[in-house]
Amino acid sequence: MPRNLTLRRSPIHGNGVFAARHLPSGTRLIEYRGKRRSHDEVDDCYGGDYDSGHTFLFTLNEEYVVDANVQGNIARWINTSCDPNCEAVIVEDPKGRRDRDRIFIETIKPIRAGEELTYDYGITLDEPHTPRLRKIWACRCGKSNCTGTMLRPKRPRKKK
Ligand SMILES: C[S@@+](CC[C@H](N)C(=O)[O-])C[C@H]1O[C@@H](n2cnc3c(N)ncnc32)[C@H](O)[C@@H]1O
Ligand SMILES: [Zn+2]
């Protein structure tokens, strides 16, 4: 584990990752690691679990998902927030190999020692975001601007 991070119970949910020391804005903290799997593969493997509201999956690109259930590191314990102090940055492989794209967690504001790290998961589901699903994916970040759900509005479709 990087020495500037620590893992412990979170007031938001389960385990969380916290700053072990002051972290300046713009610091690349850790890679979000996990096995590269196709979207179809993860749907086959976890499709039935989407109603649990719990996931260690991160969409890498149109072809691949990073499955942190397998070969994941402590980045998988970082919770989401409606007022995050980090962001997930996708770095594309210079040779265009989509399975070699990578995800890094970087600070977007100065973070005090002891503060929990968060980034916006930006989850959108294929199906309509019904009140039932918004509840299953309820957000408990505790921020004053909390939307109450981890689901984010889907991008408007282009008009034909
Ligand atoms: C990648 S895990 C993060 C680690 C998680 N705290 C744990 O102990 O398993 C992602 C899951 O954590 C929970 N989670 C993360 N941020 C949350 C939030 N702001 N409100 C409620 N649950 C959250 C959700 O169940 C989410 O699917
Ligand atoms: Zn929230």
Side-chain angles (χ1 to χ4, degrees):
M1 170 168 2
R3 278 193 296 187
N4 53 1
L5 305 180
T6 177
L7 179 70
R8 59 182 155 87
R9 299 298 285 177
S10 160
I12 298 176
H13 175 276
N15 295 317
V17 180
F18 295 76
R21 58 181 68 154
H22 172 82
L23 303 170
S25 182
T27 307
R28 182 167 287 186
L29 294 174
I30 191 168
E31 180 171 2
Y32 188 101
R33 289 187 185 274
K35 186 174 163 64
R36 268 65 176 155
R37 307 181 80 174
S38 70
H39 288 267
D40 284 349
E41 208 181 329
V42 295
D43 285 347
D44 286 350
C45 192
Y46 305 111
D49 292 347
Y50 289 153
D51 270 6
S52 73
H54 189 274
T55 180
F56 283 127
L57 303 174
F58 195 122
T59 299
L60 184 61
N61 51 46
E62 303 77 30
E63 289 177 49
Y64 292 100
V65 174
V66 175
D67 181 359
N69 292 289
V70 186
Q71 299 160 11
N73 61 354
I74 79 151
R76 70 181 178 155
W77 299 109
I78 301 175
N79 285 318
T80 189
S81 168
C82 300
D83 181 17
N85 50 21
C86 295
E87 66 179 352
V89 176
I90 295 181
V91 177
E92 294 186 0
D93 177 64
K95 294 185 178 165
R97 294 165 297 191
R98 309 306 308 276
D99 60 324
R100 304 231 182 147
D101 290 350
R102 300 168 75 183
I103 304 161
F104 291 95
I105 308 300
E106 299 181 359
T107 59
I108 52 172
K109 41 180 100 161
I111 302 177
R112 294 184 312 275
E115 205 179 320
E116 180 164 2
L117 306 185
T118 55
Y119 63 91
D120 183 354
Y121 290 179
I123 300 175
T124 57
L125 304 178
D126 290 339
E127 54 210 295
H129 293 176
T130 59
R132 185 184 77 90
L133 284 171
R134 288 172 59 83
K135 197 171 168 192
I136 287 170
W137 292 92
C139 182
R140 300 193 178 82
C141 72
K143 297 290 184 180
S144 57
N145 66 335
C146 181
T147 62
T149 180
M150 290 185 264
L151 301 181
R152 294 292 174 250
K154 302 183 185 215
R155 279 196 216 129
R157 291 191 185 174
K158 275 191 192 161
K159 286 190 178 162
K160 286 187 181 164

